[in-house]
Amino acid sequence: MADSRNLYEQVILDHNKNPRNYGKPAAADTIIDGLNPLCGDSFKIYVAFQNDVIECLHFEGDGCALSKASASLMTVLLEGKTREAALELEEALAAMLKSSPDTPVDESILGPLAAFSGVREYPTRIKCVMVAWQALAAAFSNRR
Amino acid sequence: MADSRNLYEQVILDHNKNPRNYGKPAAADTIIDGLNPLCGDSFKIYVAFQNDVIECLHFEGDGCALSKASASLMTVLLEGKTREAALELEEALAAMLKSSPDTPVDESILGPLAAFSGVREYPTRIKCVMVAWQALAAAFSNRR
Amino acid sequence: MQLRNDFPILKQQIRGRPLTYLDNASTTQKPQCVIDAIADYYASENANVHRGIHRLSGAATKRYESARSRLGSFLGANSGYGIVFTRSATEGINLVAHSLGRALLRSGDEVLVTQLEHHSNIVPWQLLCEAAGAKLRVVPINESGELIMGEFDRLLNERTRIVAVAHVSNALGTINPVSEICRKACRQNAATLVDGAQSAAHTAIRLADMGADFFVCSGHKMYGPTGVGVLCGRSEMFERMTPYQSGSDMVHSVTFEKTTFAPPPHKFEAGTPHIAGAFGLCAAVDYLDGIGMEAVERHERELLAYGTQSLAAIPGLRIIGNAKQKAGILSFVMDGAHPHDIAQLLDNEGIAIRSGHLCAQPTMAFFGVPALARVSFGLYNTISEIDALVGALQKVRKTFI
Amino acid sequence: MQLRNDFPILKQQIRGRPLTYLDNASTTQKPQCVIDAIADYYASENANVHRGIHRLSGAATKRYESARSRLGSFLGANSGYGIVFTRSATEGINLVAHSLGRALLRSGDEVLVTQLEHHSNIVPWQLLCEAAGAKLRVVPINESGELIMGEFDRLLNERTRIVAVAHVSNALGTINPVSEICRKACRQNAATLVDGAQSAAHTAIRLADMGADFFVCSGHKMYGPTGVGVLCGRSEMFERMTPYQSGSDMVHSVTFEKTTFAPPPHKFEAGTPHIAGAFGLCAAVDYLDGIGMEAVERHERELLAYGTQSLAAIPGLRIIGNAKQKAGILSFVMDGAHPHDIAQLLDNEGIAIRSGHLCAQPTMAFFGVPALARVSFGLYNTISEIDALVGALQKVRKTFI
Ligand SMILES: Cc1ncc(COP(=O)(O)O)c(C=O)c1O
Ligand SMILES: Cc1ncc(COP(=O)(O)O)c(C=O)c1O
């Protein structure tokens, strides 16, 4: 299964098996539903703010390895970030996924999200990576 | 135009150009509409009965050479016939038209209608030959 | 003409004669590239769209969505428009009549069509008006077969909610002033649907300039496959419209209590679409753009001019429809010869034309004819085919006189 | 297996491996004869139907009508039934929901579906019930994925006007007792629609024996083209039903004052139909009958038995759907591996399966799973393909543990 290594990088397999910030927290300022009807992926994302900054993010739900790992990484990466910074990272991730498979990936912006670059070869899976991010972005944009 | 001679037999061209019993008679017992929406053919058929026998038939309207010649021949052939005999001739004509092009045609039953046997090669035109006959048959069957 | 070679059917003999196909308004012939696009999909890429993870399905989905945008660019739609694949122009009109019409129309409202419309752009509006208690109003035409625009101006009023008009009349070839109609309708806040069944493959469509809210066309009349058509519409309209057919692919989530719908265009595409049809149509518009729509239009205009002149010279033949703006459609009647018999005798010469009411009975009624004979040109027709037609029509005359 | 050679796509390599296509419930592959039927029509017979005098049009019309009767005979319909060509099973259901449903349903009436239905056999009824103030009722299933027939008996009552049920569940493979359901519904004077999307190409359909009022299926799931489906229905029902889409070909005569409609089946086929689709589907059912539907069914039953046994032996794999009567569909979940990831990894081995909610969210809800992995067999699948599948699933397990 040489090919699949591009898609299922170790960091993805790891976050899938051991999702971070998983489960419902005691309190949250915003609860967001992320649904991918095509796949039956469905997540709840819990956001707690401190002033304008995301204090912490939790998620729970069911989804494929890509959607789960992506949601898990999201909760890690956005802690302490502003809404704007979150939206920017969402856009950078979306742009990377839409770029052609041979475009170099800017790891300085994407950090561990660069692991998803293999998904560019599998356009049907882009939605999986984006499901949590898009739900968050939709909720944040409404409030801007 | 060798081929077309099969379709446009002289008797058909003649009845088309000089339709018999054409026009609205002074009186009629039944007026029947014959419509072929596919072609825009549209006829009115006027029937006068004497007891159970068709005393005379007239028609008027617009249609192709086949439909017009067939209606004209119908008015000639059914004069003095019972409803049953009319229905039988209609069925014989329909059966002939549906038969395969190499089946022999029974002229003893069909008489001059045998001229339409070339239509068997042109299934889309069967409806043209039948339009007046079918209208008559529908009206007669209802009253049986 | 080189491009005739692209069409395998034109190499065929009809009773020992080459096929002279002059029934393009009914359906067009298909170039080899369209046939190949369909066959290749089935032979090496066949899979359902929107449904699977596996590579064939992913590739089909991607190609289906790019066919969608390709059709948008072919029709000159800007980003304010969306593309829905339908079965045909007829289905596109039905979709709009259902999904926009039922929501929009109130008792006393009006829908405006014209005396030139094809049945497919009449009956859906008629049934809609009946259901809504609205009124169907009809822009009349003059003896040349042109819309009387003064009457259009008079009929268009604040009760007019929808204006549905053919870009080109399939019965007479008249090119209607659709930009003007859309502009005026828009000022009255009426939605506009342009039936482009007879224009999309014969002139460059610039939907954004035309300003129609909806534009429909049929693949099979655009050198593409049967069973596929396009409804191009303003996205903001699509958003407001209710779904049409329902089922898989057009839903977001389904429970027995509550179902939510996908955004357009998917909202309007229930069930497995005609995937091969979309690919074939995409190949057809690539083919058309390869020739250039300006070149296509110029060629057909030449055929029309030559055909009009040649047919008019035949004694007893009368051309019906003499609009100043006309596409490559020539309808006529002949003394003593019914259109069907003309078509039949031409067929024996290997010349295919159409005869009948042309699915435009109101237009027939206006001209007081039960039927017309119609010659309609495509990009592969030639001047010498018109000469053959004229020769055959002379013979027809002799048979029936 | 000799007949694999009939399918050009099966000769293809996916990343250096032969294609193992196990997604037949989504869409089937096409034999060369189907591809040829379509290509030949476009290359040498292309013309519109019902419209022209010329020979190509006459031939197309004749062939289209004989495709219609051929489909009737394939489905075992007797002379009491008529055949309407649709885009798909989905459209067939929508047509009946619209044209029968709107006339039949009154506030307080009930429509009965099952927990096993595909979205396409849920949403049209749901919207219909909403519009009519009627109630959608649902026959529940047991843990094996079988309809609880005692509950069906209880739910069927004198308010039930329509019963719509899948012949075979696309999510679980369950074969429903449709004859019994139709018989009982008929006794209550309820109309019956059997969704045969998953049965028509896998078992001999004997519609007259089944006793359904309506039966729908999709060409693309029957080794035929996309964009064409069949609605077979009782002629007496068709007579009573209102038109569906409107426009050309389904009318008798049109004026702005009054339009009259053609008799069925034409009443339900507005606009130019998918002519090539009908011809391709006709070739597909000829192909199926050439093999013999009994042989097809037997072969797929063997695959199912072998597949069930082989998959059940994989640790952590759980088959969902264990009905006693099952068609060649095997759905499952695996510990630690989401169905999508299973499908993705199998794809890398050249094995195409489906994953997701399978357009059957209510069935997913019943089993408490967000998605399933589904293997579905066609007539060309082999035992060694199942062995390859099992090997690949073992690898999937290792990746995610
Ligand atoms: C049971 C069932 N019904 C209906 C459908 C809808 O078929 P189509 O998308 O061809 O309309 C499907 C297709 O997946 C199905 O499996
Ligand atoms: C002007 C016009 N509108 C609509 C149609 C209907 O097209 P289709 O039958 O492909 O739906 C036609 C086809 O003849 C047409 O000429």
Side-chain angles (χ1 to χ4, degrees):
Chain A
M1 289 201 177
D3 300 321
S4 59
R5 232 170 266 145
N6 288 329
L7 198 56
Y8 296 103
E9 292 271 347
Q10 207 47 55
V11 56
I12 296 175
L13 290 174
D14 171 36
H15 274 262
N16 173 47
K17 204 149 56 182
N18 308 301
R20 320 298 197 266
N21 302 311
Y22 191 85
K24 187 175 171 168
D29 296 315
T30 310
I31 303 178
I32 301 162
D33 283 312
L35 202 70
N36 182 2
L38 198 61
C39 311
D41 300 338
S42 135
F43 295 103
K44 273 201 184 320
I45 300 156
Y46 305 92
V47 198
F49 290 101
Q50 172 118 50
N51 301 328
D52 255 9
V53 165
I54 299 168
E55 190 182 30
C56 66
L57 271 168
H58 283 79
F59 83 106
E60 61 179 355
D62 243 311
C64 64
L66 298 178
S67 64
K68 213 160 163 187
S70 181
S72 170
L73 277 161
M74 181 178 86
T75 62
V76 173
L77 292 168
L78 297 186
E79 209 180 290
K81 294 266 161 53
T82 60
R83 284 199 185 82
E84 276 65 33
L87 288 170
E88 273 164 29
L89 192 55
E90 189 265 345
E91 273 162 33
L93 177 61
M96 183 274 281
L97 292 171
K98 268 186 227 142
S99 68
S100 89
D102 42 9
T103 317
V105 172
D106 190 342
E107 298 211 27
S108 73
I109 295 174
L110 292 170
L113 295 175
F116 290 108
S117 60
V119 177
R120 295 180 297 181
E121 303 251 23
Y122 304 87
T124 36
R125 306 300 302 273
I126 292 177
K127 179 88 198 190
C128 303
V129 182
M130 294 306 298
V131 56
W133 293 86
Q134 279 173 352
L136 198 78
F140 283 8
S141 313
N142 282 343
R143 293 177 60 175
R144 262 216 280 219
Chain B
M1 286 199 181
D3 300 321
S4 57
R5 234 170 265 145
N6 289 328
L7 197 55
Y8 297 102
E9 292 273 347
Q10 205 48 54
V11 57
I12 296 174
L13 289 175
D14 172 37
H15 274 262
N16 172 48
K17 205 149 58 183
N18 308 301
R20 321 299 198 266
N21 302 310
Y22 191 85
K24 188 175 172 165
D29 297 315
T30 310
I31 304 178
I32 301 162
D33 284 312
L35 201 70
N36 182 2
L38 198 60
C39 311
D41 299 340
S42 135
F43 295 102
K44 273 202 184 318
I45 300 155
Y46 304 91
V47 197
F49 290 101
Q50 173 119 50
N51 303 329
D52 253 10
V53 163
I54 299 169
E55 190 181 29
C56 66
L57 271 167
H58 284 79
F59 84 105
E60 62 178 355
D62 245 311
C64 65
L66 298 178
S67 63
K68 215 161 161 186
S70 180
S72 171
L73 278 161
M74 180 178 86
T75 62
V76 173
L77 292 169
L78 296 188
E79 210 180 290
K81 294 267 161 53
T82 61
R83 284 199 187 84
E84 276 63 34
L87 290 170
E88 272 163 27
L89 193 54
E90 189 265 344
E91 273 162 31
L93 177 61
M96 182 274 280
L97 292 171
K98 268 186 228 143
S99 69
S100 90
D102 42 8
T103 315
V105 172
D106 190 343
E107 298 212 27
S108 72
I109 295 175
L110 291 171
L113 294 175
F116 290 109
S117 59
V119 177
R120 295 181 296 181
E121 303 252 22
Y122 304 87
T124 35
R125 304 301 302 274
I126 292 177
K127 178 90 199 188
C128 303
V129 182
M130 293 305 299
V131 56
W133 293 87
Q134 278 173 352
L136 199 77
F140 284 6
S141 315
N142 282 344
R143 292 176 59 175
R144 260 215 280 220
Chain C
M1 218 163 70
Q2 195 52 43
L3 53 74
R4 285 181 73 85
N5 290 327
D6 299 335
F7 292 80
I9 205 170
L10 298 180
K11 297 172 199 158
Q12 170 176 318
Q13 305 265 311
I14 297 274
R15 300 205 168 186
R17 294 191 181 82
L19 169 63
T20 298
Y21 188 79
L22 293 169
D23 191 16
N24 294 288
S26 183
T27 199
T28 51
Q29 298 304 335
K30 319 305 172 202
Q32 191 62 50
C33 61
V34 166
I35 303 174
D36 289 347
I38 298 164
D40 290 351
Y41 160 68
Y42 285 134
S44 62
E45 295 180 44
N46 177 70
N48 210 325
V49 295
H50 304 310
R51 299 211 179 170
I53 289 293
H54 60 78
R55 145 176 1 228
L56 286 172
S57 176
T61 306
K62 199 170 165 188
R63 193 170 161 195
Y64 185 73
E65 291 307 320
S66 75
R68 200 192 289 284
S69 12
R70 181 68 187 90
L71 265 295
S73 76
F74 180 75
L75 297 175
N78 61 22
S79 62
Y81 286 92
I83 294 283
V84 173
F85 282 117
T86 62
R87 177 190 5 260
S88 59
T90 299
E91 179 168 70
I93 298 166
N94 275 272
L95 194 163
V96 176
H98 178 278
S99 294
L100 181 76
R102 310 226 156 197
L104 206 64
L105 273 203
R106 297 286 164 266
S107 165
D109 284 347
E110 297 179 3
V111 174
L112 195 51
V113 298
T114 87
Q115 185 90 29
L116 280 180
E117 300 310 313
H118 186 275
H119 292 167
S120 290
N121 203 24
I122 296 175
V123 191
W125 305 115
Q126 207 168 25
L127 295 182
L128 170 66
C129 285
E130 252 173 61
K135 204 164 164 188
L136 188 68
R137 310 207 66 182
V138 184
V139 182
I141 53 178
N142 63 26
E143 283 295 326
S144 302
E146 293 165 324
L147 296 184
I148 304 176
M149 286 303 288
E151 286 297 303
F152 170 78
D153 293 342
R154 206 181 55 76
L155 286 162
L156 179 72
N157 65 56
E158 67 289 350
R159 288 182 304 281
T160 313
R161 309 251 39 92
I162 299 171
V163 178
V165 59
H167 193 176
V168 168
S169 151
N170 72 303
L172 308 178
T174 312
I175 303 174
N176 289 320
V178 285
S179 302
E180 180 187 343
I181 289 173
C182 291
R183 203 174 51 243
K184 289 176 169 172
C186 181
R187 258 191 248 134
Q188 281 286 6
N189 267 319
T192 48
L193 179 143
V194 171
D195 172 358
Q198 294 299 339
S199 63
H202 304 281
T203 187
I205 305 295
R206 292 281 147 257
L207 198 43
D209 300 340
M210 187 191 292
D213 294 321
F214 300 96
F215 183 92
V216 300
C217 55
S218 277
H220 72 96
K221 293 186 201 281
M222 298 167 69
Y223 309 98
T226 59
V228 66
V230 171
L231 163 63
C232 187
R234 284 195 204 278
S235 305
E236 67 189 51
M237 294 275 195
F238 278 156
E239 294 286 349
R240 283 161 39 199
M241 285 157 63
T242 54
Y244 183 48
Q245 296 183 340
S246 60
S248 61
D249 281 0
M250 56 72 77
V251 292
H252 185 71
S253 78
V254 175
T255 68
F256 288 115
E257 292 70 41
K258 174 139 201 64
T259 289
T260 58
F261 301 104
H266 303 289
K267 181 164 74 176
F268 301 111
E269 293 182 4
T272 303
H274 183 10
I275 305 165
F279 297 172
L281 181 52
C282 192
V285 303
D286 283 346
Y287 179 79
L288 280 169
D289 272 344
I291 300 171
M293 288 309 296
E294 283 70 23
V296 167
E297 186 174 356
R298 200 178 325 116
H299 176 67
E300 293 176 12
R301 209 183 293 129
E302 279 164 26
L303 295 172
L304 178 70
Y306 185 79
T308 303
Q309 184 192 315
S310 313
L311 261 60
I314 298 174
L317 186 151
R318 186 159 58 95
I319 291 173
I320 306 286
N322 299 290
K324 277 181 283 304
Q325 298 293 323
K326 242 185 108 165
I329 288 176
L330 258 176
S331 288
F332 59 94
V333 291
M334 259 173 105
D335 292 345
H338 189 278
H340 276 5
D341 299 312
I342 300 173
Q344 189 80 59
L345 290 173
L346 293 184
D347 182 55
N348 283 331
E349 308 275 304
I351 302 174
I353 72 160
R354 173 89 189 275
S355 60
H357 57 52
L358 311 180
C359 300
Q361 288 180 354
T363 313
M364 302 300 108
F366 174 83
F367 286 101
V369 294
L372 291 174
R374 181 187 69 189
V375 166
S376 54
F377 301 114
L379 53 86
Y380 32 63
N381 291 124
T382 63
I383 293 289
S384 68
E385 286 181 319
I386 296 177
D387 291 338
L389 169 71
V390 170
L393 286 172
Q394 299 281 16
K395 289 203 228 171
V396 170
R397 224 187 122 233
K398 286 190 202 113
T399 305
F400 286 103
I401 273 181
Chain D
M1 218 163 67
Q2 195 53 40
L3 53 75
R4 285 181 72 86
N5 290 329
D6 299 334
F7 292 81
I9 205 170
L10 298 180
K11 297 171 197 157
Q12 168 176 318
Q13 306 265 311
I14 296 274
R15 299 205 168 183
R17 295 192 179 82
L19 170 62
T20 298
Y21 188 78
L22 294 168
D23 191 16
N24 294 288
S26 181
T27 199
T28 52
Q29 298 304 335
K30 318 305 172 202
Q32 191 63 48
C33 60
V34 166
I35 303 175
D36 288 346
I38 298 165
D40 290 351
Y41 160 69
Y42 286 134
S44 62
E45 295 180 43
N46 178 70
N48 210 325
V49 294
H50 305 307
R51 301 212 178 170
I53 289 291
H54 60 77
R55 147 173 359 227
L56 286 172
S57 176
T61 305
K62 199 170 163 189
R63 192 169 162 195
Y64 185 73
E65 291 309 319
S66 74
R68 200 191 289 286
S69 11
R70 181 68 187 89
L71 265 295
S73 76
F74 181 75
L75 297 176
N78 62 21
S79 63
Y81 286 91
I83 294 283
V84 173
F85 282 116
T86 62
R87 178 193 0 262
S88 58
T90 300
E91 180 169 69
I93 298 166
N94 276 271
L95 194 163
V96 176
H98 179 278
S99 294
L100 181 76
R102 307 223 161 202
L104 206 66
L105 274 203
R106 298 284 164 269
S107 167
D109 285 347
E110 297 179 1
V111 173
L112 195 51
V113 298
T114 88
Q115 184 89 29
L116 280 180
E117 301 308 313
H118 185 274
H119 292 167
S120 290
N121 203 25
I122 296 175
V123 190
W125 305 116
Q126 207 170 26
L127 296 181
L128 171 65
C129 286
E130 252 173 61
K135 203 164 164 189
L136 188 68
R137 310 205 67 179
V138 185
V139 182
I141 53 178
N142 64 24
E143 282 295 326
S144 302
E146 293 164 324
L147 295 184
I148 304 176
M149 286 304 289
E151 286 296 304
F152 170 78
D153 293 342
R154 206 180 55 78
L155 286 163
L156 180 72
N157 65 57
E158 67 288 349
R159 288 182 305 279
T160 313
R161 308 252 42 92
I162 299 170
V163 177
V165 58
H167 193 176
V168 168
S169 150
N170 72 302
L172 308 178
T174 311
I175 302 173
N176 289 321
V178 286
S179 303
E180 179 187 344
I181 288 173
C182 291
R183 203 173 53 243
K184 289 178 169 172
C186 182
R187 256 190 252 137
Q188 281 286 1
N189 267 320
T192 46
L193 178 142
V194 171
D195 171 359
Q198 294 300 340
S199 63
H202 304 282
T203 187
I205 305 295
R206 292 279 147 257
L207 198 43
D209 301 338
M210 188 190 293
D213 293 320
F214 301 97
F215 182 92
V216 299
C217 54
S218 277
H220 71 95
K221 294 185 200 283
M222 298 165 68
Y223 309 98
T226 58
V228 67
V230 171
L231 163 63
C232 187
R234 283 195 205 278
S235 304
E236 67 188 51
M237 294 275 196
F238 278 155
E239 294 286 349
R240 285 161 38 198
M241 286 157 61
T242 54
Y244 183 50
Q245 297 183 341
S246 60
S248 61
D249 282 0
M250 56 72 76
V251 292
H252 185 72
S253 79
V254 175
T255 67
F256 287 115
E257 292 70 41
K258 174 136 199 67
T259 289
T260 58
F261 300 104
H266 302 289
K267 181 163 75 176
F268 301 112
E269 293 182 3
T272 303
H274 182 11
I275 305 165
F279 297 173
L281 182 52
C282 192
V285 303
D286 284 345
Y287 179 79
L288 280 169
D289 272 344
I291 301 173
M293 289 309 296
E294 284 70 24
V296 167
E297 187 174 356
R298 198 178 326 115
H299 176 67
E300 293 178 12
R301 208 182 295 130
E302 277 164 27
L303 294 173
L304 178 70
Y306 185 78
T308 304
Q309 182 192 319
S310 312
L311 260 61
I314 298 175
L317 186 150
R318 186 159 59 97
I319 291 173
I320 306 287
N322 300 291
K324 277 182 280 302
Q325 298 294 323
K326 242 186 108 165
I329 289 176
L330 258 177
S331 288
F332 59 94
V333 291
M334 260 175 104
D335 291 345
H338 188 279
H340 277 5
D341 299 314
I342 300 173
Q344 189 80 59
L345 289 173
L346 293 184
D347 182 55
N348 282 331
E349 309 275 305
I351 301 172
I353 71 161
R354 173 91 188 276
S355 60
H357 57 52
L358 312 179
C359 300
Q361 287 178 356
T363 313
M364 301 302 109
F366 174 83
F367 286 101
V369 293
L372 290 175
R374 181 186 69 190
V375 166
S376 54
F377 301 114
L379 54 85
Y380 34 61
N381 291 123
T382 63
I383 294 288
S384 68
E385 286 181 319
I386 296 177
D387 291 337
L389 169 72
V390 170
L393 285 173
Q394 298 282 15
K395 289 204 228 171
V396 169
R397 226 187 121 233
K398 284 191 202 113
T399 306
F400 286 104
I401 272 181

